[in-house]
Amino acid sequence: MLLVVNLLLCCCVGEMTHDDYLEQALELAGDNRAELEAVLDHYKDEPEKLRAAQFLIENMPGHYSYRPGSRIEEYYALGKNILTSSLSPTEQNDSLLKLYQERFVGVLNDTVQDIRIIKADYLIQNIDSAFLLWKDGLWLQHLDFDQFCEYVLPYKCYELQSLDHWRDTLRSCFGDVMTNWIPNDESYASPYNAACVLRERIARDVHPLIMYSAMAPSFGNAENMHRITFGTCTDYVHLAICTMRAIGIPAFYDSTPQWGRYRAGHDWYAILSDKGERLTSEWDITTNPGGLFLPYQRIPKVYRYTYAINREVEQYLRDATFPQSFSQFQKDVTDEYYATTDLAIPVTFNEKRINDKYVYLAVFNGVYSDWNIVAYGNLKKNYKCADGTTQTAGIFPKTGRNILYLMVQVDENGMFPLSLPFILHSNGEIEYVESHTDDKRSVTLGRKYH
């Protein structure tokens, strides 16, 4: 899916205002501009809702959906028949995977930017519904406007989610557990308690089964989303966030591209409590928010999915010679979870091969390329290092500790190192790891993984 948008380059990012971004988005809408202008005109006498509409529109470029009328709708319809059948979850997955491979290969590529297809009525209905929850609901009144815009307002919670009435659908499926909850003490007004009650209901009805084998494509429509009997942790995180926002609980989606000592990544959900605290789940709808978060794991980077465009990442995607798969709808929140270090790593290898102003941090994963890129940083020439020398160095803020890294760059031939591997220790000190091939010894491995 293409996330890089060819935006107008009328002025540099640092000089642009919200009005500039809004006009840029309206230009990008093309023939759909009138729909977006109708939304702005609808709220011309409601300043707060107008600001919310402007926020959605100016950050809409780069958000994608499947093209209306595409064959994905047929796949979803046939998928519903399988999800509501008497087949076991494994058999459902096998049937869906076969269906996709035989009839729908390539359908996932038929996407279009939301800003070119979204309709005024749909956007207005979503804005009004979100405001009603914010102003009249129990679990959102502690949010300021900016928090509301990220954690409740957006018309979608993740990329390629269908532009359907997901709030209404998911409320009708799970909302009764909230209306039947007797408001007899202070816990009723707590977003934390509300999230726990709702999560338990979702898990009870859905019976989530996490699969790691080959799987059919996920369902982005609300009609199928609440029926999934199998999926990845990401699928069930999506379900948790969509349902919580539909009910009126401020939820968001954090992720790591890779553990610090294991090749997999991980996604989870979190809520914003009425104390202003981030309450994190360990997994998906199988765990409540607010518990101890994976204390035995080391994480190099944590990224939060956002609706708003990260203008810094947008600039990186535009300027990098060989841009990697970073999303302009993510922000780095690693320091919210772990002690971190702002790194400056001198370039010691392949300086003549450098062809970009960006460099990368990679973590060892032992699969495919052996190293997996988890962060990008700026390349600084004539950087004054801690030892007083001046060198070319890669600058990486907010880096997770107690992990082995390698600084690399990428060209048309792939990834190549710019430094020795190094361990960023728990105290923030760096230890470079150099192999000595003339000093060999034998080792017996008692186990393969931690």
Side-chain angles (χ1 to χ4, degrees):
M1 179 180 60
L2 182 65
L3 289 177
V4 184
V5 182
N6 292 321
L7 300 176
L8 304 175
L9 300 180
C10 57
C11 52
C12 69
V13 169
E15 297 173 348
M16 294 188 70
T17 66
H18 288 293
D19 287 342
D20 294 326
Y21 287 126
L22 181 62
E23 178 57 33
Q24 194 176 75
L26 292 171
E27 289 286 337
L28 190 62
D31 294 339
N32 200 49
R33 178 170 184 149
E35 293 287 335
L36 302 174
E37 290 179 332
V39 177
L40 299 174
D41 184 65
H42 179 82
Y43 291 122
K44 63 183 178 183
D45 297 323
E46 300 180 77
E48 199 168 35
K49 287 186 177 180
L50 179 61
R51 284 177 60 203
Q54 291 168 338
F55 168 83
L56 290 176
I57 294 170
E58 74 179 65
N59 288 287
M60 200 176 289
H63 287 292
Y64 278 77
S65 297
Y66 293 113
R67 191 178 303 276
S70 73
R71 296 186 64 235
I72 195 68
E73 295 173 8
E74 182 185 355
Y75 172 73
Y76 285 171
L78 293 172
K80 179 182 176 182
N81 294 335
I82 294 174
L83 291 176
T84 55
S85 71
S86 60
L87 295 173
S88 70
T90 301
E91 291 169 336
Q92 288 182 6
N93 177 58
D94 292 343
S95 299
L96 283 165
L97 185 58
K98 182 179 180 182
L99 175 69
Y100 171 74
Q101 292 172 340
E102 291 180 353
R103 296 179 54 181
F104 293 98
V105 171
V107 71
L108 303 183
N109 298 322
D110 193 6
T111 61
V112 61
Q113 287 195 60
D114 293 350
I115 203 161
R116 294 185 180 274
I117 59 169
I118 201 163
K119 299 304 178 185
D121 289 348
Y122 181 76
L123 207 52
I124 289 168
Q125 187 272 335
N126 270 275
I127 292 170
D128 287 346
S129 177
F131 265 85
L132 187 64
L133 288 170
W134 185 28
K135 299 300 184 181
D136 296 345
L138 284 173
W139 308 303
L140 294 174
Q141 294 180 11
H142 60 292
L143 301 186
D144 61 29
F145 182 78
D146 291 337
Q147 292 167 336
F148 164 74
C149 283
E150 274 297 346
Y151 303 149
V152 185
L153 174 67
Y155 58 89
K156 68 194 312 181
C157 302
Y158 60 93
E159 288 309 303
L160 297 179
Q161 182 184 346
S162 298
L163 302 181
D164 56 17
H165 295 291
W166 55 274
R167 298 183 203 264
D168 296 337
T169 300
L170 295 175
R171 259 199 308 267
S172 69
C173 292
F174 304 111
D176 62 307
V177 73
M178 314 308 290
T179 55
N180 294 333
W181 185 16
I182 300 174
N184 60 355
D185 57 28
E186 291 182 356
S187 68
Y188 185 75
S190 161
Y192 166 74
N193 286 310
C196 292
V197 169
L198 181 59
R199 184 211 65 78
E200 289 168 6
R201 168 61 181 275
I202 299 170
R204 187 195 73 191
D205 287 4
V206 173
H207 301 292
L209 174 64
I210 304 296
M211 285 190 178
Y212 300 98
S213 57
M215 290 182 58
S218 301
F219 295 105
N221 63 326
E223 185 67 21
N224 286 1
M225 189 189 303
H226 69 92
R227 303 179 192 274
I228 54 173
T229 59
F230 62 91
T232 63
C233 59
T234 304
D235 294 325
Y236 290 117
V237 166
H238 288 166
L239 177 59
I241 294 171
C242 288
T243 307
M244 289 183 183
R245 289 186 183 181
I247 298 296
I249 301 169
F252 48 96
Y253 172 13
D254 288 352
S255 175
T256 181
Q258 187 183 315
W259 299 116
R261 55 178 182 172
Y262 183 63
R263 65 175 179 264
H266 185 46
D267 302 321
W268 60 92
Y269 75 92
I271 68 167
L272 189 68
S273 79
D274 50 358
K275 296 180 181 179
E277 298 172 325
R278 169 187 45 79
L279 301 180
T280 302
S281 70
E282 278 195 314
W283 301 101
D284 40 70
I285 57 172
T286 58
T287 55
N288 283 329
L292 199 59
F293 180 75
L294 300 169
Y296 50 88
Q297 288 289 5
R298 309 163 187 173
I299 297 185
K301 281 292 178 182
V302 179
Y303 295 108
R304 179 162 301 151
Y305 287 84
T306 63
Y307 177 82
I309 296 172
N310 184 328
R311 300 297 174 182
E312 180 183 303
V313 179
E314 178 188 61
Q315 186 75 40
Y316 157 80
L317 292 170
R318 185 185 298 125
D319 293 349
T321 306
F322 295 94
Q324 301 302 294
S325 57
F326 296 100
S327 171
Q328 62 189 10
F329 302 110
Q330 287 181 330
K331 65 177 181 179
D332 187 343
V333 294
T334 314
D335 56 342
E336 291 187 20
Y337 284 83
Y338 296 97
T340 62
T341 297
D342 294 338
L343 289 178
I345 305 299
V347 174
T348 52
F349 297 121
N350 295 315
E351 186 167 359
K352 292 183 179 180
R353 287 182 64 183
I354 293 176
N355 54 28
D356 201 345
K357 64 180 181 180
Y358 298 104
V359 289
Y360 303 95
L361 272 186
V363 176
F364 185 75
N365 65 5
V367 68
Y368 304 124
S369 66
D370 289 336
W371 293 91
N372 183 32
I373 289 174
V374 296
Y376 74 86
N378 292 301
L379 189 69
K380 298 289 186 182
K381 295 185 178 181
N382 302 317
Y383 182 83
K384 189 172 183 179
C385 299
D387 61 3
T389 61
T390 300
Q391 301 182 51
T392 301
I395 309 300
F396 303 96
K398 298 195 291 192
T399 308
R401 297 176 181 176
N402 204 19
I403 295 170
L404 175 75
Y405 294 100
L406 179 67
M407 183 170 67
V408 301
Q409 205 179 56
V410 179
D411 63 14
E412 63 275 5
N413 297 313
M415 189 187 307
F416 60 91
L418 297 178
S419 71
L420 285 170
F422 60 92
I423 300 170
L424 177 58
H425 286 290
S426 297
N427 61 1
E429 293 183 357
I430 295 172
E431 176 189 357
Y432 288 94
V433 180
E434 187 169 6
S435 61
H436 297 279
T437 56
D438 56 346
D439 182 13
K440 299 179 180 179
R441 57 181 174 170
S442 298
V443 233
T444 300
L445 299 180
R447 63 189 298 167
K448 190 173 181 181
Y449 295 115
H450 59 272

